Amino acid sequence: MTASASTMGTSPEAGPAGPATANRLTAHQLTLAYEDRTVVDGLDLEIPDGEVTVIVGPNACGKSTLLRALGRLLRPRGGAVLLDGTDLARIPTKKIARSVGLLPQTPVAPEAITVADLVSRGRQPHQHWWQQWSAEDERAVTDAMERTDVTALADRPVDELSGGQRQRVWIAMALAQETDLLLLDEPTTYLDISHQVDVLDLVRQLNHERGRTVVAVLHDLNQAARYADHLIAMKTGRIVARGRPEDIVTAELVHEVFGLESAVVPDPVTGTPSSSRARLGEPRRAERGGACGAGPKRGVAEAGHGPKRGAGRSGALLSRAGARG
Amino acid sequence: MAYLCVGEGFVAPAGAVKAVLHTQWGLGPATPNDLVVGTLRLPRMTLGLLVGAAFGIAGALIQTVARNPLASPDIIGVSQGASAVTVGAMTYGIGSFTVLPYLSVAGGLTAAALVYVFAWRGGLHAARFVLIGIGFAVALRSITHLFLTKGDYLVAQQAKVWMTGSLNGRGWGEAAPLGWALLVLLPGVLWAARAQRTVSLDDDTATALGVRLGRVRLGLASLGIVLASMATGAAGPVDFVALLAPQIARRMTRTAQIPLLCSALTGAFIVVTADLLARKLFAPTELPVGVLTAAVGAPYLIHLLLSSGGRGRKGGTAA
């Protein structure tokens, strides 16, 4: 299978640096490299506005690298990432920070910082030397903490929190930045399955309530299929498939991307495609994701219930039910 | 206050105040304590306060940039650069005390500039900056020793006192330029206090917040290095103050970043207290203040090293 065209039904891929691009964040002929190792070569990409885009792929496929480039943490070797049609390299970084928020994979909080203090630092791009803290800043921080349910933790030091709480605090910081686009690099890594679901539900909710564009890198295909409007499957720096999960997730795709023989059945709860190992026995590499990798997500698929298409795809309850299997 | 009263001869607090008023502002009658308090102790104390404050802020800034409590201007080569140039100048007969402070400032800045050049690779990276700084410090120290061995015995003796850092025999002449420099750099320090908020986050997060990390780090480090060089020029490299003051200040205030004002006050307090003890402890022999700060600082450094082992990997990963 080759890189299939977007099934979004939007206008065909825009031409070079085309002004016609409807979507705010695009990449054109993007080449990304570390030292002399090229990770991504000549990639074109459009992030659909107002949707949740999830990038999946095996380890070292370049998905995090791509996300870093979209958030200008990595300077492209060739090509460009365009925000509203302008090369990111030509936009002042502070101006980018008012449109694009990014939560890195393993952010590090300063020692002894409190939750409220950390969240308030998300306001940095909106502050000026002549105005350091406005009512607007205050509102944004309060709002961000409420949405992520960390208001009660406001005065606690971040290093005393549990992994799940800490991740919510970081998301709150990124939210306080109040950007239209939010990039999340493996936001569920290091979290147990219930906290993973919490975080992903939160992401969905953010997208629903404000129409925020979210791009998340995930390594779990089932989670990706469940939460994405637009799925991008990558392998060795190439996009293997993109589109709606129910249109593109097939046994062949799973085999091509992850090298795994699997059966794809609709998730009994959400109706989204869900894959599981077709044959057991021969040892295969385990998915990354810590000790909790063997979550009940496989059980869901293996139960092999018929499709229940009627179920919606959003909402905390449904996803939780899926997680419980 | 105690500093003004205690010395080879004790002066009652009231007498000390009178002496200060008379010598400084011509208020009140002349007192017998005018010379000791007003002309010797007051300028020396002022210098001590300024030097301590400058070292305190310098240390806070460099520790912020390096994200490492062990970094300080006397570890990354600033003090060593100042020493090498000053001792070299002394050895080759430029012994005038009016020129030496400026030479040592130049030495400190040059050393720091070299460290920059070698550490710069499309931006200032904390770890590389500190490691290269340590390398330079070692190299410069051996150059200083080369000068010391080559030079005249008496000059070497004099140079050694300078190298430990001493307030002995110094006063307004050194304090005034340092005071002005601090005043001029004040806006920079205010900017730095704000910039610290984002620099103390990790690189990716700070960049995502729209901070031009390379430039901000360069600004913070430069400010710290200028302050440290000025202080070194005025009193010699008073060891460990820049290392200790910010850490003590941080532990006192429990803030997320190293507090600049509190570091300055702590640094000032450390230097003046240490100098008071240095004058008094083995009286009539006056120790250089640097001996005392080092004697207190070294055990604290070991404590920091031991306790930082346990805090090393806090942050990103959850249990």
PDB file of all heavy atoms in Angstrom, chain A residues 18-36:
ATOM      1  N   GLY A  18       1.482  26.756  -1.244  1.00  0.00           N
ATOM      2  CA  GLY A  18       0.303  27.347  -1.859  1.00  0.00           C
ATOM      3  C   GLY A  18      -0.482  28.223  -0.907  1.00  0.00           C
ATOM      4  O   GLY A  18      -0.688  27.865   0.247  1.00  0.00           O
ATOM      5  N   PRO A  19      -0.921  29.350  -1.356  1.00  0.00           N
ATOM      6  CA  PRO A  19      -1.749  30.210  -0.527  1.00  0.00           C
ATOM      7  C   PRO A  19      -3.151  29.639  -0.393  1.00  0.00           C
ATOM      8  O   PRO A  19      -3.932  30.080   0.430  1.00  0.00           O
ATOM      9  CB  PRO A  19      -1.767  31.538  -1.285  1.00  0.00           C
ATOM     10  CG  PRO A  19      -1.489  31.183  -2.705  1.00  0.00           C
ATOM     11  CD  PRO A  19      -0.711  29.899  -2.695  1.00  0.00           C
ATOM     12  N   ALA A  20      -3.462  28.628  -1.211  1.00  0.00           N
ATOM     13  CA  ALA A  20      -4.817  28.097  -1.237  1.00  0.00           C
ATOM     14  C   ALA A  20      -5.087  27.153  -0.076  1.00  0.00           C
ATOM     15  O   ALA A  20      -6.211  26.713   0.102  1.00  0.00           O
ATOM     16  CB  ALA A  20      -5.057  27.368  -2.551  1.00  0.00           C
ATOM     17  N   THR A  21      -4.075  26.810   0.726  1.00  0.00           N
ATOM     18  CA  THR A  21      -4.305  25.846   1.792  1.00  0.00           C
ATOM     19  C   THR A  21      -5.321  26.383   2.770  1.00  0.00           C
ATOM     20  O   THR A  21      -5.184  27.465   3.311  1.00  0.00           O
ATOM     21  CB  THR A  21      -3.009  25.539   2.558  1.00  0.00           C
ATOM     22  OG1 THR A  21      -2.412  26.776   2.925  1.00  0.00           O
ATOM     23  CG2 THR A  21      -2.061  24.726   1.733  1.00  0.00           C
ATOM     24  N   ALA A  22      -6.361  25.586   2.986  1.00  0.00           N
ATOM     25  CA  ALA A  22      -7.408  26.010   3.894  1.00  0.00           C
ATOM     26  C   ALA A  22      -6.972  25.777   5.331  1.00  0.00           C
ATOM     27  O   ALA A  22      -7.344  26.518   6.224  1.00  0.00           O
ATOM     28  CB  ALA A  22      -8.681  25.251   3.593  1.00  0.00           C
ATOM     29  N   ASN A  23      -6.184  24.724   5.527  1.00  0.00           N
ATOM     30  CA  ASN A  23      -5.806  24.371   6.887  1.00  0.00           C
ATOM     31  C   ASN A  23      -4.628  25.207   7.367  1.00  0.00           C
ATOM     32  O   ASN A  23      -3.754  25.578   6.596  1.00  0.00           O
ATOM     33  CB  ASN A  23      -5.467  22.885   6.949  1.00  0.00           C
ATOM     34  CG  ASN A  23      -6.703  22.040   6.724  1.00  0.00           C
ATOM     35  OD1 ASN A  23      -7.760  22.323   7.281  1.00  0.00           O
ATOM     36  ND2 ASN A  23      -6.582  21.037   5.873  1.00  0.00           N
ATOM     37  N   ARG A  24      -4.632  25.461   8.661  1.00  0.00           N
ATOM     38  CA  ARG A  24      -3.641  26.399   9.199  1.00  0.00           C
ATOM     39  C   ARG A  24      -2.233  25.814   9.232  1.00  0.00           C
ATOM     40  O   ARG A  24      -1.267  26.493   8.972  1.00  0.00           O
ATOM     41  CB  ARG A  24      -4.047  26.830  10.610  1.00  0.00           C
ATOM     42  CG  ARG A  24      -5.333  27.632  10.640  1.00  0.00           C
ATOM     43  CD  ARG A  24      -5.488  28.326  11.961  1.00  0.00           C
ATOM     44  NE  ARG A  24      -4.459  29.345  12.141  1.00  0.00           N
ATOM     45  CZ  ARG A  24      -4.264  29.999  13.280  1.00  0.00           C
ATOM     46  NH1 ARG A  24      -4.999  29.722  14.325  1.00  0.00           N
ATOM     47  NH2 ARG A  24      -3.327  30.915  13.379  1.00  0.00           N
ATOM     48  N   LEU A  25      -2.144  24.539   9.617  1.00  0.00           N
ATOM     49  CA  LEU A  25      -0.816  23.958   9.792  1.00  0.00           C
ATOM     50  C   LEU A  25      -0.558  22.914   8.711  1.00  0.00           C
ATOM     51  O   LEU A  25      -1.278  21.926   8.601  1.00  0.00           O
ATOM     52  CB  LEU A  25      -0.708  23.323  11.178  1.00  0.00           C
ATOM     53  CG  LEU A  25       0.698  22.953  11.652  1.00  0.00           C
ATOM     54  CD1 LEU A  25       1.572  24.194  11.787  1.00  0.00           C
ATOM     55  CD2 LEU A  25       0.640  22.221  12.975  1.00  0.00           C
ATOM     56  N   THR A  26       0.452  23.139   7.917  1.00  0.00           N
ATOM     57  CA  THR A  26       0.781  22.214   6.843  1.00  0.00           C
ATOM     58  C   THR A  26       2.289  22.039   6.780  1.00  0.00           C
ATOM     59  O   THR A  26       3.042  22.850   7.303  1.00  0.00           O
ATOM     60  CB  THR A  26       0.302  22.744   5.473  1.00  0.00           C
ATOM     61  OG1 THR A  26       0.919  24.011   5.244  1.00  0.00           O
ATOM     62  CG2 THR A  26      -1.196  22.903   5.423  1.00  0.00           C
ATOM     63  N   ALA A  27       2.680  20.960   6.134  1.00  0.00           N
ATOM     64  CA  ALA A  27       4.117  20.757   5.917  1.00  0.00           C
ATOM     65  C   ALA A  27       4.315  20.511   4.436  1.00  0.00           C
ATOM     66  O   ALA A  27       3.491  19.861   3.779  1.00  0.00           O
ATOM     67  CB  ALA A  27       4.606  19.566   6.722  1.00  0.00           C
ATOM     68  N   HIS A  28       5.383  21.050   3.921  1.00  0.00           N
ATOM     69  CA  HIS A  28       5.627  20.914   2.499  1.00  0.00           C
ATOM     70  C   HIS A  28       7.041  20.374   2.265  1.00  0.00           C
ATOM     71  O   HIS A  28       8.016  20.976   2.700  1.00  0.00           O
ATOM     72  CB  HIS A  28       5.460  22.273   1.813  1.00  0.00           C
ATOM     73  CG  HIS A  28       5.810  22.241   0.366  1.00  0.00           C
ATOM     74  ND1 HIS A  28       5.054  21.546  -0.551  1.00  0.00           N
ATOM     75  CD2 HIS A  28       6.839  22.788  -0.312  1.00  0.00           C
ATOM     76  CE1 HIS A  28       5.615  21.678  -1.742  1.00  0.00           C
ATOM     77  NE2 HIS A  28       6.696  22.422  -1.627  1.00  0.00           N
ATOM     78  N   GLN A  29       7.119  19.228   1.625  1.00  0.00           N
ATOM     79  CA  GLN A  29       8.414  18.625   1.267  1.00  0.00           C
ATOM     80  C   GLN A  29       9.366  18.619   2.465  1.00  0.00           C
ATOM     81  O   GLN A  29      10.542  18.966   2.359  1.00  0.00           O
ATOM     82  CB  GLN A  29       9.047  19.388   0.083  1.00  0.00           C
ATOM     83  CG  GLN A  29       8.405  19.031  -1.250  1.00  0.00           C
ATOM     84  CD  GLN A  29       8.586  17.553  -1.584  1.00  0.00           C
ATOM     85  OE1 GLN A  29       9.695  17.023  -1.557  1.00  0.00           O
ATOM     86  NE2 GLN A  29       7.485  16.864  -1.863  1.00  0.00           N
ATOM     87  N   LEU A  30       8.818  18.210   3.601  1.00  0.00           N
ATOM     88  CA  LEU A  30       9.565  18.312   4.848  1.00  0.00           C
ATOM     89  C   LEU A  30      10.633  17.225   4.952  1.00  0.00           C
ATOM     90  O   LEU A  30      10.342  16.044   4.803  1.00  0.00           O
ATOM     91  CB  LEU A  30       8.571  18.184   6.005  1.00  0.00           C
ATOM     92  CG  LEU A  30       9.037  18.594   7.385  1.00  0.00           C
ATOM     93  CD1 LEU A  30       9.400  20.068   7.407  1.00  0.00           C
ATOM     94  CD2 LEU A  30       7.931  18.316   8.393  1.00  0.00           C
ATOM     95  N   THR A  31      11.864  17.634   5.174  1.00  0.00           N
ATOM     96  CA  THR A  31      12.943  16.683   5.416  1.00  0.00           C
ATOM     97  C   THR A  31      13.525  16.969   6.790  1.00  0.00           C
ATOM     98  O   THR A  31      13.912  18.098   7.087  1.00  0.00           O
ATOM     99  CB  THR A  31      14.035  16.813   4.340  1.00  0.00           C
ATOM    100  OG1 THR A  31      13.448  16.540   3.079  1.00  0.00           O
ATOM    101  CG2 THR A  31      15.170  15.838   4.601  1.00  0.00           C
ATOM    102  N   LEU A  32      13.536  15.942   7.627  1.00  0.00           N
ATOM    103  CA  LEU A  32      14.006  16.116   8.994  1.00  0.00           C
ATOM    104  C   LEU A  32      15.163  15.167   9.247  1.00  0.00           C
ATOM    105  O   LEU A  32      15.139  14.015   8.822  1.00  0.00           O
ATOM    106  CB  LEU A  32      12.875  15.813   9.987  1.00  0.00           C
ATOM    107  CG  LEU A  32      11.584  16.615   9.772  1.00  0.00           C
ATOM    108  CD1 LEU A  32      10.477  16.093  10.663  1.00  0.00           C
ATOM    109  CD2 LEU A  32      11.829  18.085  10.038  1.00  0.00           C
ATOM    110  N   ALA A  33      16.180  15.667   9.929  1.00  0.00           N
ATOM    111  CA  ALA A  33      17.356  14.838  10.164  1.00  0.00           C
ATOM    112  C   ALA A  33      18.015  15.219  11.475  1.00  0.00           C
ATOM    113  O   ALA A  33      17.932  16.356  11.929  1.00  0.00           O
ATOM    114  CB  ALA A  33      18.330  15.001   9.013  1.00  0.00           C
ATOM    115  N   TYR A  34      18.623  14.214  12.098  1.00  0.00           N
ATOM    116  CA  TYR A  34      19.485  14.462  13.248  1.00  0.00           C
ATOM    117  C   TYR A  34      20.906  14.186  12.786  1.00  0.00           C
ATOM    118  O   TYR A  34      21.176  13.112  12.245  1.00  0.00           O
ATOM    119  CB  TYR A  34      19.153  13.516  14.391  1.00  0.00           C
ATOM    120  CG  TYR A  34      17.774  13.718  14.985  1.00  0.00           C
ATOM    121  CD1 TYR A  34      16.780  12.780  14.807  1.00  0.00           C
ATOM    122  CD2 TYR A  34      17.483  14.864  15.719  1.00  0.00           C
ATOM    123  CE1 TYR A  34      15.522  12.969  15.361  1.00  0.00           C
ATOM    124  CE2 TYR A  34      16.231  15.051  16.269  1.00  0.00           C
ATOM    125  CZ  TYR A  34      15.255  14.103  16.086  1.00  0.00           C
ATOM    126  OH  TYR A  34      14.019  14.284  16.628  1.00  0.00           O
ATOM    127  N   GLU A  35      21.788  15.130  12.990  1.00  0.00           N
ATOM    128  CA  GLU A  35      23.177  14.984  12.528  1.00  0.00           C
ATOM    129  C   GLU A  35      23.159  14.499  11.088  1.00  0.00           C
ATOM    130  O   GLU A  35      22.675  15.211  10.206  1.00  0.00           O
ATOM    131  CB  GLU A  35      23.951  14.014  13.433  1.00  0.00           C
ATOM    132  CG  GLU A  35      23.900  14.383  14.909  1.00  0.00           C
ATOM    133  CD  GLU A  35      24.790  15.568  15.267  1.00  0.00           C
ATOM    134  OE1 GLU A  35      25.918  15.655  14.753  1.00  0.00           O
ATOM    135  OE2 GLU A  35      24.362  16.427  16.069  1.00  0.00           O
ATOM    136  N   ASP A  36      23.592  13.247  10.828  1.00  0.00           N
ATOM    137  CA  ASP A  36      23.589  12.800   9.429  1.00  0.00           C
ATOM    138  C   ASP A  36      22.525  11.736   9.178  1.00  0.00           C
ATOM    139  O   ASP A  36      22.481  11.117   8.129  1.00  0.00           O
ATOM    140  CB  ASP A  36      24.983  12.280   9.041  1.00  0.00           C
ATOM    141  CG  ASP A  36      25.478  11.241  10.026  1.00  0.00           C
ATOM    142  OD1 ASP A  36      24.816  11.047  11.062  1.00  0.00           O
ATOM    143  OD2 ASP A  36      26.527  10.627   9.764  1.00  0.00           O
TER     144      ASP A  36
END
